[in-house]
Amino acid sequence: MKEQIAQLIETALASLIADGTLPADIAPSIQVENTRDKSHGDFASNIALTLAKPARRNPRELAQQICDALPTSSNVEKTEIAGPGFINFFVSQASIFTVVGDILAQGDAFGRGTPDSGPRMQVEFVSANPTGPLHVGHGRGAAYGATVADLLEAAGIEVEREYYVNDAGRQMNILAVSIWLRYLELNDQELTFPSNGYQGFYIRDIAHDLLKAHGDRFNVPVAELFFDIVADEPAGGDKELHIDALIERAQQMLADDYDRVFNAGLDAILGDIREDLSEFGVDYQVWFSERSLTHSGDVERALEQLEARGYLYEQEGNLWFRSTDFGDDKDRVVKRANGQTTYFASDIAYHMNKFERGFDQVVNIWGADHHGYITRVKAAIQALGYDPEKLVVKLVQFAILYRGSERVQMSTRSGSFVTLRELRNEVGNDACRFFYVTRKADQHMDFDLELAKSESKDNPVYYIQYAHARVCSVLRKLEREGMAWDQAAGLEALERLESETEKDLVMQLGKYPETLQHAALNFEPHVLANYLRDLAGDFHTWYNGHKLIIDDTELRNARLTLSVAVRQVLANGLKLLGVSAPEQM
């Protein structure tokens, strides 16, 4: 209906331009919004206010001229001019109910955009280091990223989902050494585990599997391993130097077998992450390896391009990128004096690779602690000759778990944090997926476990699912009582729905397509989540005040038709949020 009203206004403006009332070079931006107060009509436009200054006219007078030039439409009963020049539109009851037929005709496709040859977008999210299980913070990023990708796809955009596997660098070497040391313990050797090693019990599990698969192949004397190693922090030394020395010693003693230990850890944890995310309803088209950037030569190639463009310089043996040329607060090291490239060098190569794959826009979903990385990455993109505005970075704040008013502190198999799998096991996938996207991603979030499990209207996901299940329950009851729902007859009788709550419910249904588009294009899943909660609330209010299974066949069919339309929109929206739409609860 908004589009139809906008078209009427556009036709009126064209008429006013043709007769000289408005200048020919005027560029109108037509906006039509739902009114908050129904006494002011159903829709309103501020077009007269926005055009008054360039047209050099009084806004109320211009509003009247626009109203007089509006084409006749069976959908618009009347218009009124309000305030300084708003145009209020009162639409006919028949036109209000048109959306119900659209919903039932289009089904799962209602509200979705038509795929076209528009921009290709990549959404990269989670990308947690494969050094341990996913925790509740990763869960929020996973739910947000998956929903953003699904929304964009629903809006008609081609989307590719990608997980960047950080399988290179120091943290992965610490993981490999941690596993190997636990393996040595399983071979009945005593040692003091490094304070900077990975402590979780999952490390022991991987070490046990390593022992089972390879026996004592990787067993070495502990005394030889720790001989003349820099002391650890608890012993008065430096924990960073201690773990780095152990890494170097492990690589020397294991030689070619070091990669086997390294890969055992990587494969086990990455496999667990894949399984965890898949069970959470999150799947990817691409799992991109950081190590592949080095093996393919992309890192060196990216640095060569920056060198050729004059954006690299050497100082004190290190190779620096002139990121301050692009607004960064300081220049960044891309290659150290020892010849090792930095994490940032890999980030540069990775983003070069993304744009070389032909994406028109790339969306990075990062933890809030990565805020400082945005400027330097955009600087590198610009230095390589790409448009930095084609990179969109959305930051996701951590989620804090509460049980009622008490903050949750749980000791888990993975150390000191709560894993995503433990959260899913306690409250279920549906509650996790929904609760994670109920607030803007960059806002702090408290996750109430007790609320997520409750069966009450205070639990938004239960409240929405219950509305869907209620419609299914009514249809089952109808069948038990030997009655049938006639959709065609129901559509014909929709004007029998005369109460304000019924009209409000239909108007709410009509907002779904624009809500989906807004949520998608602004990367704001919470907009859709809030819409579904409002729709469910309107439905429950109407349902509680109106009987659906009644003797009046015509009115019964009309109410059932409206109910099924609500069920369809709820199901469509829940699916985009990764939440099920149960038929009974």
Side-chain angles (χ1 to χ4, degrees):
M1 185 55 63
K2 284 186 178 180
E3 291 178 2
Q4 293 180 31
I5 292 174
Q7 289 172 358
L8 294 175
I9 295 173
E10 186 176 356
T11 302
L13 294 176
S15 176
L16 293 175
I17 291 172
D19 67 17
T21 302
L22 292 176
D25 61 351
I26 206 162
S29 176
I30 302 172
Q31 295 182 348
V32 179
E33 303 294 339
N34 295 86
T35 59
R36 295 182 180 180
D37 185 346
K38 293 304 177 185
S39 66
H40 296 159
D42 300 295
F43 300 96
S45 176
N46 66 347
I47 186 64
L49 295 169
T50 61
L51 293 184
K53 185 174 181 179
R56 296 184 177 86
R57 291 185 175 276
N58 177 282
R60 281 188 65 89
E61 290 179 1
L62 180 55
Q64 186 60 60
Q65 291 173 319
I66 294 172
C67 288
D68 293 342
L70 286 170
T72 302
S73 171
S74 59
N75 292 328
V76 178
E77 290 185 339
K78 66 174 181 176
T79 59
E80 288 182 354
I81 300 170
F86 290 99
I87 303 175
N88 293 337
F89 293 82
F90 294 77
V91 301
S92 65
Q93 184 164 324
S95 65
I96 292 175
F97 289 111
T98 301
V99 68
V100 176
D102 293 341
I103 293 168
L104 297 181
Q106 297 173 32
D108 295 344
F110 178 73
R112 300 179 72 93
T114 304
D116 53 32
S117 56
R120 289 182 65 237
M121 293 181 66
Q122 183 214 55
V123 181
E124 181 232 318
F125 59 107
V126 183
S127 299
N129 291 340
T131 53
L134 297 178
H135 56 60
V136 294
H138 299 134
R140 189 177 187 191
Y144 175 74
T147 306
V148 163
D150 289 347
L151 285 169
L152 289 169
E153 206 164 63
I157 297 169
E158 183 183 349
V159 179
E160 186 169 284
R161 301 154 182 81
E162 182 156 302
Y163 189 114
Y164 181 50
V165 182
N166 300 110
D167 54 2
R170 182 169 179 264
Q171 293 305 313
M172 291 302 299
N173 285 323
I174 293 175
L175 174 72
V177 166
S178 299
I179 292 168
W180 186 44
L181 293 175
R182 293 304 187 195
Y183 164 88
L184 294 176
E185 289 179 334
L186 291 173
N187 276 280
D188 298 323
Q189 299 207 60
E190 293 186 7
L191 55 89
T192 301
F193 197 81
S195 60
N196 211 20
Y198 283 98
Q199 307 287 338
F201 273 89
Y202 65 96
I203 298 295
R204 298 178 187 274
D205 292 340
I206 299 171
H208 184 272
D209 291 340
L210 196 66
L211 178 64
K212 186 177 180 180
H214 298 281
D216 63 357
R217 175 174 181 148
F218 312 122
N219 198 20
V220 301
V222 165
E224 184 180 341
L225 170 61
F226 282 89
F227 177 74
D228 203 25
I229 286 286
V230 176
D232 200 357
E233 186 172 76
D238 186 306
K239 66 179 181 180
E240 303 295 347
L241 294 178
H242 179 70
I243 194 69
D244 286 342
L246 283 174
I247 291 170
E248 185 177 355
R249 185 66 56 81
Q251 291 171 336
Q252 292 170 351
M253 297 182 72
L254 287 171
D256 292 342
D257 278 342
Y258 179 80
D259 283 345
R260 288 189 172 88
V261 176
F262 183 101
N263 289 329
L266 172 63
D267 293 345
I269 294 175
L270 192 57
D272 182 75
I273 288 174
R274 284 177 184 263
E275 182 180 321
D276 204 6
L277 288 171
S278 182
E279 290 174 355
F280 196 38
V282 178
D283 295 294
Y284 297 85
Q285 281 81 45
V286 177
W287 292 74
F288 191 99
S289 164
E290 180 186 353
R291 284 194 293 178
S292 71
L293 294 169
T294 301
H295 297 157
S296 66
D298 278 358
V299 174
E300 286 300 326
R301 189 163 58 85
L303 296 184
E304 288 170 4
Q305 289 196 29
L306 292 177
E307 178 79 51
R309 290 170 175 266
Y311 294 121
L312 297 185
Y313 66 92
E314 190 172 330
Q315 183 175 306
E316 298 178 353
N318 294 323
L319 194 61
W320 297 74
F321 166 54
R322 299 182 188 275
S323 55
T324 51
D325 286 2
F326 303 94
D328 198 4
D329 59 345
K330 62 181 181 180
D331 292 342
R332 308 289 174 175
V333 176
V334 291
K335 183 182 287 188
R336 303 194 188 283
N338 62 6
Q340 293 294 312
T341 54
T342 62
Y343 286 118
F344 182 48
S346 295
D347 285 338
I348 295 172
Y350 179 44
H351 286 84
M352 180 184 74
N353 181 284
K354 288 187 180 194
F355 285 109
E356 286 182 341
R357 281 185 270 163
F359 294 112
D360 301 292
Q361 189 171 55
V362 296
V363 182
N364 290 353
I365 296 173
W366 293 344
D369 57 336
H370 284 70
H371 180 271
Y373 285 74
I374 299 174
T375 302
R376 72 188 72 167
V377 171
K378 287 203 170 195
I381 289 171
Q382 188 172 354
L384 287 168
Y386 298 105
D387 181 359
E389 295 307 309
K390 290 186 175 182
L391 169 66
V392 176
V393 179
K394 307 304 291 186
L395 299 176
V396 180
Q397 287 283 354
F398 198 75
I400 306 298
L401 297 186
Y402 283 84
R403 199 177 300 280
S405 60
E406 183 179 348
R407 184 166 174 171
V408 175
Q409 299 289 349
M410 290 174 60
S411 176
T412 72
R413 283 177 54 81
S414 52
S416 61
F417 56 80
V418 181
T419 67
L420 174 60
R421 183 172 280 119
E422 287 172 321
L423 179 63
R424 293 194 295 106
N425 287 340
E426 178 163 355
V427 304
N429 272 4
D430 286 345
C432 285
R433 287 292 300 263
F434 191 90
F435 271 61
Y436 273 136
V437 298
T438 53
R439 294 178 65 84
K440 291 187 70 171
D442 61 358
Q443 292 180 347
H444 171 81
M445 178 189 183
D446 293 336
F447 194 120
D448 189 335
L449 296 169
E450 294 305 316
L451 178 61
K453 293 187 293 184
S454 69
E455 297 182 358
S456 72
K457 65 179 183 180
D458 294 325
N459 179 352
V461 67
Y462 178 83
Y463 192 58
I464 296 166
Q465 289 178 319
Y466 184 48
H468 183 275
R470 255 184 160 176
V471 179
C472 297
S473 176
V474 167
L475 295 177
R476 289 194 298 270
K477 183 178 180 182
L478 187 75
E479 185 177 358
R480 288 197 303 269
E481 296 188 10
M483 301 181 188
W485 163 53
D486 188 326
Q487 176 177 314
L491 290 171
E492 289 291 329
L494 286 176
E495 292 190 44
R496 289 286 308 278
L497 305 178
E498 299 175 343
S499 72
E500 286 303 312
T501 53
E502 287 167 330
K503 293 177 183 177
D504 289 344
L505 186 54
V506 176
M507 293 291 285
Q508 187 78 314
L509 289 173
K511 296 177 184 178
Y512 178 73
E514 64 180 285
T515 301
L516 191 160
Q517 288 289 320
H518 175 89
L521 300 181
N522 292 282
F523 312 105
E524 294 184 335
H526 72 279
V527 170
L528 178 58
N530 292 336
Y531 166 83
L532 293 176
R533 182 161 48 188
D534 290 342
L535 176 60
D538 288 347
F539 172 77
H540 287 305
T541 298
W542 171 65
Y543 180 92
N544 292 333
H546 298 77
K547 292 187 66 175
L548 271 62
I549 301 179
I550 55 178
D551 292 333
D552 185 334
T553 304
E554 187 178 68
L555 184 57
R556 180 179 71 237
N557 279 322
R559 288 179 176 172
L560 289 171
T561 298
L562 175 56
S563 299
V564 174
V566 171
R567 180 182 67 171
Q568 183 67 63
V569 171
L570 289 173
N572 290 1
L574 287 171
K575 184 177 181 180
L576 288 174
L577 298 182
V579 178
S580 68
E583 295 189 0
Q584 51 187 335
M585 297 178 71

